[in-house]
Amino acid sequence: MRAIVIGAGIGGLAATLSLRRAGHEVVLVEQSPRFTEAGAGIQLAPNATRVLRGLGRLDAVAAQAAPPGELSFRRWSDGAEICRYTLGREVDAEFGAPYLQLHRADLQQALAAAVPPGSVRLGTRVVRIEQDDRSAHVTTAGGERLTADLVVAADGIRSAARQWLFGADAAVFSRTAAYRALLPAEQVADLDLPDTGIWLGPGRHFVHYRVRRGELLNVVAVFGTDTARESWTELAEPDEALRAFEGWEPRVVRVLERAGRMYRWGIHTRAPLARWGCGRVTLLGDSAHAMVPFQAQGAAQALLDAAVLGDCLRGAGPADVPEALDRYARRRLAGATEMQARSARAGDEFHLADGPEAEARDARMAAHAAEQRFLPVAAAWAADVVDEPGAP
């Protein structure tokens, strides 16, 4: 069969590879004139890295990643450790795939390198999707009409395809935003930072971990706010992040000082859907289930979508497409929707004000870590594991 995938982000690239492994011809359509990905860190749990291994890209991705070591949760004011979890080799042994931390652009490049150039249409904006009983059709801004047996819309949080399928449905502001930066790891080598740190405070939390083979420190400082634009490229005002995190433990403040001027990103989501597609057209990734990043599962869920999509379409013919796409959505929708809710709950927990509720949270986290070596979300990793693309 012939498929058209709209969007060359992580989800669209993975869907392209998964469908090709399922034996289908794929055209990947991307409105940007080149593969681009905003610079930021990304964490991939075993449910995601297992999919990458099935796509034949895990080694390429792992070569660019940083060894994650341990994750330390800490209090905002004094840096006292709440609890600690392993993210290293024990994760691989327990779940059958590693936990990786890397630059988002490195992941995208590793996926793009496996897509044949002849299958990619860059600089091509889709303005309409139509379908009939036998085919799906995509019209480009240049007036070209492309025909296929199915269309996969991986066109991100501002998905036009979602609107075409289900009507007007704007992205939802989460009332949180983040300051982001990447800086040379050597610039913070004297601060005795944990391998991966999440510092919890009233209305805010602060995350750091290493990427690009450990050479860079990825910094994300999340805060509650009433307004923020959804942009990967908007710069914060000078010292804005320092003012927002004034009074935090000195190491946090030092990292923000050394990061310099940071980017300011308003965090948006999409409301859960009851279904992801219609007939021969389906959504995938953020277009279907954009979530806050507080469980580090946005990209992982898109990769899982891609793996299940390829599995549902393996051996399918044109007449099977509507039922196969419906089966794909049924297999993925509940898990992705639950992860949306789980991520939102984590943000609420992270931002509790000092007092009895925060103390109770810290006690729960410490008790869990004393019993389990792995994060609470590890249960979702295990539940979300799917057969690797191309596996028997």
Side-chain angles (χ1 to χ4, degrees), residues 1-264:
M1 291 195 301
R2 180 181 173 89
I4 295 171
V5 175
I6 303 171
I10 291 166
L13 287 164
T16 299
L17 296 178
S18 187
L19 289 170
R20 284 177 53 81
R21 287 196 165 232
H24 306 302
E25 179 185 348
V26 185
V27 175
L28 177 59
V29 179
E30 165 58 43
Q31 65 180 351
S32 174
R34 58 188 180 277
F35 288 117
T36 58
E37 185 65 71
I42 190 169
Q43 302 189 71
L44 297 176
N47 54 356
T49 56
R50 191 167 188 262
V51 173
L52 291 175
R53 185 170 58 205
L55 295 174
R57 305 312 297 157
L58 180 56
D59 288 346
V61 171
Q64 300 299 318
E70 292 185 314
L71 163 61
S72 177
F73 283 91
R74 295 179 177 252
R75 295 192 182 96
W76 72 278
S77 56
D78 59 6
E81 187 169 73
I82 300 168
C83 63
R84 179 181 295 250
Y85 291 100
T86 182
L87 297 179
R89 293 180 179 177
E90 289 177 303
V91 169
D92 199 342
E94 179 73 15
F95 298 103
Y99 195 105
L100 298 178
Q101 297 168 328
L102 66 156
H103 196 296
R104 183 178 291 267
D106 293 338
L107 173 59
Q108 188 189 39
Q109 289 168 13
L111 294 170
V115 178
S119 299
V120 181
R121 298 281 301 273
L122 296 175
T124 304
R125 184 169 64 90
V126 173
V127 297
R128 186 181 299 112
I129 300 175
E130 301 169 296
Q131 60 179 314
D132 53 41
D133 290 342
R134 294 183 295 180
S135 303
H137 313 280
V138 164
T139 302
T140 72
E144 187 177 7
R145 195 169 192 252
L146 308 177
T147 297
D149 297 295
L150 68 144
V151 171
V152 180
D155 53 342
I157 191 169
R158 301 289 181 181
S159 171
R162 177 172 169 138
Q163 182 169 323
W164 295 331
L165 284 169
F166 302 119
D169 174 26
V172 179
F173 179 47
S174 69
R175 303 184 72 82
T176 56
Y179 301 111
R180 301 185 297 106
L182 289 162
L183 65 157
E186 61 186 19
Q187 289 187 9
V188 296
D190 63 315
L191 297 182
D192 190 30
L193 295 171
D195 295 330
T196 298
I198 302 181
W199 310 62
L200 308 183
R204 289 160 171 68
H205 71 279
F206 180 82
V207 182
H208 60 80
Y209 54 88
R210 289 170 175 79
V211 301
R212 195 155 284 168
R213 303 172 299 279
E215 298 165 7
L216 299 175
L217 185 75
N218 184 67
V219 177
V220 184
V222 181
F223 60 100
T225 179
D226 290 331
T227 58
R229 195 161 66 92
E230 202 273 319
S231 170
W232 284 96
T233 58
E234 181 178 292
L235 284 169
E237 294 299 317
D239 297 330
E240 182 181 338
L242 278 171
R243 292 193 299 271
F245 285 78
E246 183 178 0
W248 279 54
E249 204 265 6
R251 283 177 290 178
V252 172
V253 176
R254 298 291 177 269
V255 172
L256 292 173
E257 287 175 342
R258 297 174 191 183
R261 194 168 182 184
M262 304 179 75
Y263 292 100
R264 191 181 198 268

Side-chain angles (χ1 to χ4, degrees), residues 265-284:
W265 166 47
I267 301 172
H268 288 66
T269 66
R270 297 306 296 256
L273 290 169
R275 58 194 179 106
W276 287 356
C278 177
R280 296 178 175 274
V281 183
T282 193
L283 304 176
L284 182 145

